[in-house]
Amino acid sequence: MKISCLLIIKRDFILNEFKDKVAVVTGAASGIGQAIAEKFAHEGMKVVISDIEKDALFQTEEEFKQKGYEILALSVDVSKVEDVRILAQKTIEKYGVINVLVNNAGVGFAGEYSTALWESPLSEWQWIFGVNIWGVIHGIHVFTPIMLKQDFESYIINTCSIAGLITPQPGAGIYSITKHAVLALSESLRSDLEQFDSKIKVLALCPGFIKTKIIESERNRPEELYDKKITHPKLEQQIKMYKQIISSGISPNIVAEKVYNALLGEKFYISTDAHPLVRNYVKTRMEAILTDFKKK
Ligand SMILES: NC(=O)c1ccc[n+]([C@@H]2O[C@H](COP(=O)([O-])OP(=O)(O)OC[C@H]3O[C@@H](n4cnc5c(N)ncnc54)[C@H](O)[C@@H]3O)[C@@H](O)[C@H]2O)c1
């Protein structure tokens, strides 16, 4: 048999590895989360889609069911630990196991309140931290013990961002801080799990600019976290530019493909469209740190 033929058979065998496995995806009613959920379902996985935006969630459920996918839709606000507990409980009730958790829900990039850090109302910090950091903490806190108890190979994927690798990002400071935290959290989680010889693998998804509704995050801001809008005139152009870059970003389907392939491989950091400029920013930041460390 030819080598190419063998490779195809091996690839098919590997690709089927996740058939019938159970995945939970947060923020799955739009953008990256929706694309990941669809990719997983398309590959034969049973997928629990969860989101705060009910109409979009149940519409996604309907569309996925029409495509013949095995889907459970649950309305969940990841910033509330009780909601995340119910998410885990209902998943276990329906499917018995959890093979993959994707902590993906996120808000607040280039939104209407984006401005200089000291001008940002506290409600802005509370909202973005609540979803982007506490949402992931809740996922880790509730799901990791269940996955540890299962004692078989499982995966936790956290949606970080290239915004978690580079600073400064004028007008996107709070978002960037949360993404730095989620990346550090993912690295620490991986290390802790390795110390305990756990079978859980952690992956840090670091998308670049993806064409999604992230710039319309305001649609999901809780009423109690509204405040006076202020965007410093100096930053208006910058924020407009972020919106333009996202609007012409790559398709979330490309991200979903990369995530699925990363599950099959040995990657920890998943990049999507890491532009040479981004690599250069990361390098420049690290070099500046190391240079200052050397100074007396
Ligand atoms: N779009 C990009 O360029 C980009 C780049 C890097 C990282 N990311 C990250 O990707 C993730 C997905 O964002 P997206 O770009 O697909 O945006 P999106 O707005 O299209 O999707 C985000 C989803 O999260 C949901 N959500 C918001 N608050 C929630 C809450 N409290 N509980 C549960 N669900 C909630 C929204 O309803 C929405 O369905 C986010 O973590 C975001 O920070 C996006």
Side-chain angles (χ1 to χ4, degrees), residues 30 32 51 77-78 104 175 179 208 210 212-213 219-220:
S30 173
I32 295 171
D51 205 284
D77 177 350
V78 293
N104 167 77
Y175 180 83
K179 292 300 178 180
I210 319 300
T212 69
K213 287 168 83 178
R219 69 195 190 278
N220 291 310

Side-chain angles (χ1 to χ4, degrees), residues 26-34 50-53 56 76-80 103-109 127 130-132 159-163 175 178-179 205-217 219-222 246 249 252 272:
T26 69
S30 173
I32 295 171
Q34 190 184 52
S50 63
D51 205 284
I52 197 173
E53 202 177 335
V76 168
D77 177 350
V78 293
S79 70
K80 296 185 177 145
N103 287 310
N104 167 77
V107 292
F109 181 72
W127 176 47
V131 181
N132 296 9
T159 304
C160 311
S161 170
I162 53 163
Y175 180 83
T178 64
K179 292 300 178 180
L205 171 62
C206 302
F209 296 107
I210 319 300
K211 194 175 178 179
T212 69
K213 287 168 83 178
I214 189 83
I215 48 181
E216 296 164 42
S217 297
R219 69 195 190 278
N220 291 310
R221 184 193 285 264
I246 295 283
T272 59

Side-chain angles (χ1 to χ4, degrees), residues 8-29:
I8 289 166
I9 290 169
K10 183 160 187 273
R11 186 173 158 77
D12 279 344
F13 173 73
I14 294 169
L15 287 179
N16 282 335
E17 201 178 304
F18 285 90
K19 193 171 180 325
D20 292 327
K21 296 284 191 285
V22 178
V24 176
V25 185
T26 69

Side-chain angles (χ1 to χ4, degrees), residues 50 76 123 147 184 193 217-219 227 276 280:
S50 63
V76 168
S123 54
M147 292 165 114
L193 287 167
S217 297
E218 285 297 327
R219 69 195 190 278
D227 210 319
N280 214 25

